[in-house]
Amino acid sequence: MTRTVDLNADMGEGFGAWNLGDDAALLDIVTSANIACGFHAGDWDVMAKTMANAREKGTGIGAHPGFPDLHGFGRRRMDIPHGSLANLVRYQLGAAQAMATAAGTKVRHLKLHGALANMASEDQDMARACYEGALSVDPDIIVMVLAGTAQQSAVAELGCAAACEIFADRAYNDDATLVDRKLPGSVIHDPKEAGQRMVDMVREGAIITASGKRIETRIDTICLHGDTPTAVAIAAEVRRALKDSGVELAQFTGAPI
C-alpha cells in the first residue's frame, strides 16, 4: 500500500493560566494543526504562541472555530440561526488570520469543532451556512470535513477545496457520524488499536464503524485529538503504523469533492 495522508491535531486549547494538551509534542508528529480561536478554547496569547511554533515546524495551520462555550469546551449543542452561524465562523476565522499574519504565516484550512461540527455532520444546510461564512472571508480556504457526512455533501455542493477527515480515536456510527462521547467505547484510548484501525481504514479507503460496516470514502487526513491522557502516545503510534505500512505523510493539498 502506497498513498499519502495528512495527520492533524486540535491544539491551542489552553487559555489564561490553564494549559491543555502537549502541543509541542504533537507538533513533532502531525502535519496540520487546527488552532482554537478563543470561543470554545484558546486565547490571543495561546493562538500567537501555537501559530509561531507551528510555523517553525512547517506545520499547516487551520482555524478551528466552535460554539461560544468555554465552560463546556464547545461540546454542548446550541441553537443558533444560520445567518448568525456564518458570522460566528467569519469572526473566528478573521481572528485566526490576524494572528497567523502577525506570526509570519497563514491560515490554509478550516475545521469546525465539537458540537458545532457534530451538528453540521447531521445537517447539510447548517454545514453550508458555516462554510459559506468561511468562504466569504477566504474563497481559497480548504474546508476540512467529516468524511461521509452532511459536511462532505455541503462542500460537494459548494465546489470548494476540501479535505476529508477520519478520526483515529473515535468510534463511528453506521451513518459515518461519531458515537456520542457519553456512550461506552466512543473514545479509543489504546494506541495499538488506534494505529491498526487507521491502517485498515486507509488500506480499504473506508470508514469502519463500531458494527463493522464499511463506508467507502475519500481519506485525506486523520485527526489525532490532543486533549486525552493518551493523546501523544496514540499520535505517535498512528504515525508509526502508517509509515510502516507504506503510507507517506504530508499536508493535504485540498481538492473539490
Side-chain angles (χ1 to χ4, degrees):
M1 176 176 63
T2 302
R3 62 157 297 167
T4 302
V5 73
D6 172 82
L7 297 180
N8 78 81
D10 305 341
M11 58 182 67
E13 294 176 327
F15 60 93
W18 291 272
N19 294 318
L20 181 65
D22 190 344
D23 290 353
L26 284 171
L27 283 170
D28 286 329
I29 297 169
V30 301
T31 48
S32 292
N34 318 305
I35 299 174
C37 301
F39 275 40
H40 74 276
D43 66 23
W44 45 94
D45 291 327
V46 172
M47 288 175 72
K49 179 180 178 180
T50 308
M51 287 186 176
N53 290 343
R55 181 204 64 212
E56 290 177 7
K57 296 288 185 179
T59 306
I61 290 175
H64 196 34
F67 281 138
D69 178 26
L70 274 177
H71 189 271
F73 196 59
R75 289 182 175 153
R76 297 184 292 194
R77 294 187 172 225
M78 302 180 73
D79 184 10
I80 298 176
H82 287 180
S84 186
L85 280 176
N87 285 332
L88 182 80
V89 171
R90 290 185 183 105
Y91 190 98
Q92 293 180 74
L93 174 56
Q97 288 178 320
M99 301 309 293
T101 298
T105 184
K106 65 174 290 185
V107 174
R108 67 188 303 268
H109 73 273
L110 177 131
K111 172 186 170 180
L112 302 180
H113 167 81
L116 177 60
N118 290 335
M119 292 173 70
S121 73
E122 302 161 3
D123 184 336
Q124 184 172 334
D125 290 338
M126 180 179 176
R128 181 173 178 129
C130 293
Y131 299 150
E132 285 179 332
L135 292 165
S136 70
V137 175
D138 181 0
D140 297 321
I141 199 163
I142 302 168
V143 179
M144 189 185 294
V145 299
L146 273 68
T149 71
Q151 289 188 18
Q152 183 171 332
S153 299
V155 293
E157 189 175 79
L158 289 167
C160 61
C164 295
E165 175 189 48
I166 62 172
F167 286 77
D169 60 355
R170 294 296 308 279
Y172 280 92
N173 296 308
D174 283 351
D175 62 356
T177 60
L178 300 175
V179 174
D180 193 304
R181 284 178 177 269
K182 298 187 182 87
L183 299 177
S186 61
V187 179
I188 294 160
H189 298 286
D190 179 23
K192 292 290 184 183
E193 180 184 356
Q196 186 58 54
R197 72 195 295 266
M198 288 301 94
V199 170
D200 292 343
M201 289 191 198
V202 171
R203 179 186 292 121
E204 297 189 32
I207 291 168
I208 302 174
T209 73
S211 71
K213 179 181 177 181
R214 266 63 174 170
I215 303 171
E216 290 188 9
T217 185
R218 194 175 98 186
I219 298 173
D220 301 310
T221 184
I222 294 169
C223 178
L224 307 162
H225 281 110
D227 62 326
T228 61
T230 55
V232 174
I234 286 176
E237 177 58 22
V238 168
R239 182 182 177 95
R240 184 205 63 76
L242 289 168
K243 293 189 75 171
D244 286 355
S245 67
V247 176
E248 296 178 2
L249 305 179
Q251 291 174 26
F252 51 76
T253 56
I257 302 296

